């Protein structure tokens, strides 16, 4: 081997930050024993495996604090990695995946995730959609393939602005995954959108990347061309993953993000499909890691078509076929071209036969995905779930799921539960006991239809106000005000007192934690006292109690009861979703998912009982 070759191998190994890429050893001396295999940290999801077999994790908590940039030229596997992150994080944190090319709707085939089209969201507005998501904390895929370029940027700007402007009570952890970011935040004027719209979209995305941490929002930006993506957006990420990168400008910026010099970043060109280098606090620390992304469960739609030989047709036959097309007016053709140039690709022209397949499928109450496949099997162009749903709506069709009417027994259960002021989550359980599967939102909507909805706001009475104001004016601690209200027959928590004080101009700085407070906190946690009761006892906000307990390493773990195991088993046997099982049990989704895995119950769509 030449000296130049050896030097090049050494530079490559150093640039990739790996170890053990060659046989190693010198002078015949045996290599030292390899270190023990690494394990994932608590809070990690697994992205793939390093060259030595160690798992490479992405820490969700640190990701919220630092955001993530994924760079990879076309075919490098960045969209597959984005899909892997969604699948691994699903159920552990709320997710919104913004999909400009309509590739990710297939996630719904394996996961209980909502897929919305741009039409669905534009109907109510991006800000209202965002507020609804943050309030109800469901995960979703937003398919923008049915929208023109300008409409996409406007909608993304509305959504990201809504994420930042959401009320503080909705600031829960949430990942916002964005594919093909170069099309939504272009660095240059692409000519297909106005300057004002482009600037607004860039400003909104950059603002989300900067201010999202405090609000629990973490942007995960995937770009095929980092050099063509706005610096204001990508420069805010402190975690970076880079796949194969060919073009010089992309190579320079991607290498700089990984801390590589111009010369040592060239090996990024030789990374194989699905192979990446990463760096960042959420990715293991300050050392660069090279890894191969793990597999995905859902079907990927972004692969290039297979090479298939075209049918045999002579030049004369092709010319004859072209002459059979009727002549059109040139002015009309130019006008149509002008419209397409301004508003993007022409909308799909549905055939009568396609509409018949859709009508038959809806009449037979087939799943929408099944109808999509029937269109493909019949030789028609593939369509996304959201696109087919939009067409069905235009034909006046209602999905089988929405068409399931409430029976008299369900209505009676709901009426009785509302009369007894039973919580919604418990009403879900009452219906499930009788074999009915309804979510909380569906029950609320049915209650409105039945005319039995109730005002859930617990308004302050005049006697309560008087007691609270007297205590606030005297500087009485919140916990004593709560006791004074309780002695008078009123039930209020610490959060209610603090909000009342703020509304009436009596806001006070929350007192710091004393040694006595901390000791009492430890004792109450050992007794497994509910956090709400701990907050009231200490006169602290619930969020403050949880944060302090987390800093002190305090956790509350209650053993599962036989009844809870039976509920989980019953939900599995009935083919219900894991999210619904978690609602019935009343425990956090990740906890229920872990127990289900431990006892061998699979709630994935391919493994659930039917």
């Amino acid at each position: 081997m030449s000296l130049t070759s050896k030097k090049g191998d050494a530079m490559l190994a150093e640039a990739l930050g790996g170890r053990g890429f060659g046989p190693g050893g010198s002078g015949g001396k045996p290599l030292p024993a390899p270190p023990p295999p690494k394990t994932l940290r608590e809070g990690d999801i697994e992205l793939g495996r390093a060259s030595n077999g160690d798992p490479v994790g992405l820490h969700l908590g640190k990701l919220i604090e630092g955001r993530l940039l994924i760079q990879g030229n076309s075919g490098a596997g960045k969209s597959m990695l984005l899909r892997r992150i969604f699948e691994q994080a699903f159920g552990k944190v709320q997710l919104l995946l913004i999909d400009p090319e309509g590739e990710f709707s297939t996630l719904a085939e394996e996961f209980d995730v909502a897929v919305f089209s741009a039409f669905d969201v534009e109907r109510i507005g991006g800000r209202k959609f965002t507020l609804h998501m943050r309030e109800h904390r469901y995960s979703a895929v937003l398919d923008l393939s049915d929208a023109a370029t300008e409409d996409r940027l406007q909608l993304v700007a509305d959504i990201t602005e809504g994420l930042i402007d959401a009320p503080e009570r909705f600031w829960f952890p949430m990942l916002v995954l964005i594919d093909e970011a170069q099309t939504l935040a272009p660095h240059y004027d692409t000519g297909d959108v106005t300057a004002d719209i482009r600037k607004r979209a860039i400003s909104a995305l950059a603002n989300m990347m900067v201010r999202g941490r405090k609000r629990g929002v973490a942007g995960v930006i995937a770009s095929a061309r980092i050099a063509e993506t706005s610096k204001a957006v990508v420069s805010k990420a402190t975690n970076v993953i880079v796949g194969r990168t060919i073009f010089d400008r992309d190579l320079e910026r991607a290498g700089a993000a990984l801390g590589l010099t111009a010369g040592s970043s060239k090996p990024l060109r030789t990374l194989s499909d699905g192979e990446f280098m990463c760096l960042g606090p959420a990715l293991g620390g300050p050392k660069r890691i090279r890894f191969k992304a793990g597999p995905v469960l859902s079907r990927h739609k972004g692969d290039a078509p297979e090479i298939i030989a075209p049918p045999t047709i002579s030049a004369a036959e092709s010319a004859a076929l072209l002459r059979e097309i009727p002549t059109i007016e040139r002015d009309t053709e130019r006008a149509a071209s002008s419209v397409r140039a301004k508003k993007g690709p022409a909308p799909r022209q549905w055939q009568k036969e396609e509409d018949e397949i859709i009508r038959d499928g809806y009449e037979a109450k087939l799943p929408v995905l099944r109808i999509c496949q029937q269109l493909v099997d019949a030789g028609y162009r593939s369509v996304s779930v959201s696109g087919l749903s939009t067409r069905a709506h235009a034909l006046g069709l209602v999905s089988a799921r929405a068409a399931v009417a409430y029976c008299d027994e369900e209505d009676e259960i709901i009426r009785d539960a509302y009369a007894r002021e039973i919580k919604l989550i418990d009403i879900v359980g009452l219906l499930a006991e009788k074999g009915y599967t309804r979510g909380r939102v569906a029950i609320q909507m049915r209650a409105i239809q039945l005319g039995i909805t109730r005002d859930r706001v617990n308004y302050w009475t005049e006697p309560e106000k008087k007691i609270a104001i007297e205590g606030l004016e005297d500087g009485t601690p919140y916990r004593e005000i709560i006791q004074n209200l309780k002695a008078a027959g009123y039930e209020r928590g610490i959060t209610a007192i603090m909000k009342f004080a703020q509304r009436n101009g009596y806001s006070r700085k929350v007192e710091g934690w004393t040694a006595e407070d901390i000791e009492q906190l430890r004792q109450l946690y050992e007794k497994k006292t509910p956090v709400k009761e701990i907050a009231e006892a200490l006169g602290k906000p619930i969020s403050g109690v949880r944060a302090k307990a987390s800093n002190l390493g305090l956790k509350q773990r209650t053993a599962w009861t036989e009844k809870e195991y039976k509920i989980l088993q019953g939900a599995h046997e009935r083919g219900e979703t894991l999210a619904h099982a978690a609602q019935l049990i009343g425990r956090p989704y990740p906890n229920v998912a872990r127990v289900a895995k431990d006892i061998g119950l699979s709630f994935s769509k391919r493994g659930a009982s039917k």
Side-chain angles (χ1 to χ4, degrees), residues 505-547:
Y506 293 100
S507 296
R508 61 178 72 162
K509 186 177 180 180
V510 178
E511 299 175 357
W513 287 83
T514 64
E516 292 77 10
D517 289 336
I518 293 175
E519 181 59 29
Q520 188 176 359
L521 177 67
R522 292 184 185 276
Q523 294 175 1
L524 292 172
Y525 255 77
E526 288 178 1
K527 296 177 182 177
K528 295 184 171 27
T529 306
V531 176
K532 182 178 180 181
E533 294 180 15
I534 296 176
E536 292 178 358
L538 295 175
K540 305 284 186 182
I542 294 176
S543 59
V545 170
R546 285 176 173 157

Side-chain angles (χ1 to χ4, degrees), residues 255-271:
L258 288 170
L260 298 173
T261 63
S264 59
S265 63
K266 291 181 179 179
L268 294 174
R269 287 185 169 133
T270 64
L271 293 175

Side-chain angles (χ1 to χ4, degrees), residues 21 251 396 457:
F21 287 93
L251 199 65
V457 179

Side-chain angles (χ1 to χ4, degrees), residues 479-491:
R479 71 184 80 177
E480 294 184 18
I481 296 176
I482 292 173
Q483 294 300 323
N484 293 338
L485 287 167
K486 185 174 292 187
Y490 302 108
E491 290 289 338

Side-chain angles (χ1 to χ4, degrees), residues 41 51 142 159 195 203 247 273 469 520 536 541 550 581 587 591:
R41 302 167 293 179
S51 58
L142 177 55
I159 289 172
S203 175
F247 304 107
D273 292 355
I469 289 175
Q520 188 176 359
E536 292 178 358
S550 177
R587 286 181 177 266
N591 177 253

Side-chain angles (χ1 to χ4, degrees), residues 60-61 63-68 93-94 96 130 134 159-166 170-178 204-205 207-220:
L60 295 179
L63 177 59
I64 296 291
E65 297 176 359
R67 290 79 64 193
L68 172 64
V93 67
Q94 187 182 10
L96 171 61
T130 301
R134 300 223 73 180
I159 289 172
T160 49
E161 288 172 354
L163 288 169
I164 298 303
D165 295 340
F170 299 142
W171 289 2
F172 298 104
M174 180 180 186
L175 301 188
V176 181
L177 295 82
I178 302 177
L205 283 168
N207 195 34
M208 180 193 73
M209 296 289 282
V210 173
R211 300 175 61 198
R213 182 190 65 81
K214 179 179 178 181
R215 292 157 176 79
V217 177
V220 179

